Amino acid sequence: MKSLVVVSLALAAATCANITASFARWPDYPGFWVVGNHATKTCEIVTVNPIIDRAVIWFGAGPYKSLDDAKLARSNIRACPKEESGD
């Protein structure tokens, strides 16, 4: 009976450790985001989850699974200029 309790507690601890590790990696979700940049007055596609500070980065949309999805989304966001240079 005692060994069953010990095994149950060890299993619970391992599960909690795995959940914690998953949340620690959560901001590193792979993908593409469209962000509005006040400094450059453009909408950019970035590969990291943006921090919206409302001073330089004023909006973010995403994540998108592919660069093509992000480009399509950028073309449909009203705040983004229609003519994009780069990318």
Side-chain angles (χ1 to χ4, degrees):
M1 180 70 171
K2 232 179 191 181
S3 65
L4 182 60
V5 171
V6 171
V7 169
S8 296
L9 288 175
L11 184 60
T15 302
C16 289
N18 286 338
I19 290 171
T20 303
S22 296
F23 283 123
R25 292 185 46 208
W26 176 68
D28 293 334
Y29 179 81
F32 298 89
W33 285 261
V34 178
V35 296
N37 187 329
H38 271 308
T40 61
K41 295 184 177 27
T42 60
C43 291
E44 301 170 351
I45 296 174
V46 298
T47 57
V48 294
N49 193 354
I51 297 174
I52 311 300
D53 61 5
R54 306 259 186 241
V56 176
I57 304 298
W58 59 283
F59 80 86
Y64 300 100
K65 291 183 179 183
S66 71
L67 181 58
D68 289 335
D69 289 345
K71 286 181 179 181
L72 178 63
R74 179 177 63 186
S75 70
N76 290 315
I77 296 174
R78 289 186 202 189
C80 293
K82 295 301 175 200
E83 298 288 320
E84 284 290 331
S85 60
D87 294 333

